[in-house]
Amino acid sequence: RSDAECSAEPLPTSWDVTSDSIAARLAERTEANELVLLKSTLPDDPDVNQWAECGYVDQYFPRAIENLRRVRCVCLRDESFPAVEWPR
């Protein structure tokens, strides 16, 4: 079933939604314990709204993760795989 059929608030069909928000929606729908984003860098700011403002994630992402327990961003460019977690 499509997101529009299953959700009271389907994801917008715009460039404000990319794979980050789609992954967040899938994590929510599958009741995942956490969402792990594999990125080339880590966010500079602990505020997820700033992540969207600076383009680290898409503009819809802060709203997409409202019902998630935990988000972890992992930097794949560093062989020690450092991570940042939300909420902190």
Side-chain angles (χ1 to χ4, degrees):
R1 295 177 40 192
S2 74
D3 188 50
E5 295 172 325
C6 297
S7 178
E9 185 180 345
L11 292 172
T13 29
S14 74
W15 288 111
D16 288 344
V17 175
T18 64
S19 59
D20 294 329
S21 286
I22 294 168
R25 178 57 55 93
L26 286 171
E28 178 183 4
R29 298 239 333 246
T30 60
E31 299 178 5
N33 288 326
E34 75 175 330
L35 167 65
V36 179
L37 298 178
L38 305 176
K39 298 286 200 171
S40 59
T41 63
L42 293 178
D44 293 327
D45 196 292
D47 181 5
V48 74
N49 292 306
Q50 288 301 315
W51 297 3
E53 283 297 315
C54 74
Y56 184 74
V57 293
D58 63 64
Q59 291 295 308
Y60 191 79
F61 189 76
R63 193 168 185 177
I65 64 168
E66 288 176 348
N67 296 319
L68 297 182
R69 295 179 193 115
R70 181 174 151 190
V71 175
R72 187 165 34 121
C73 301
V74 177
C75 177
L76 293 179
R77 287 195 179 197
D78 184 325
E79 62 187 41
S80 68
F81 302 113
V84 169
E85 293 182 14
W86 176 91
R88 289 185 181 239

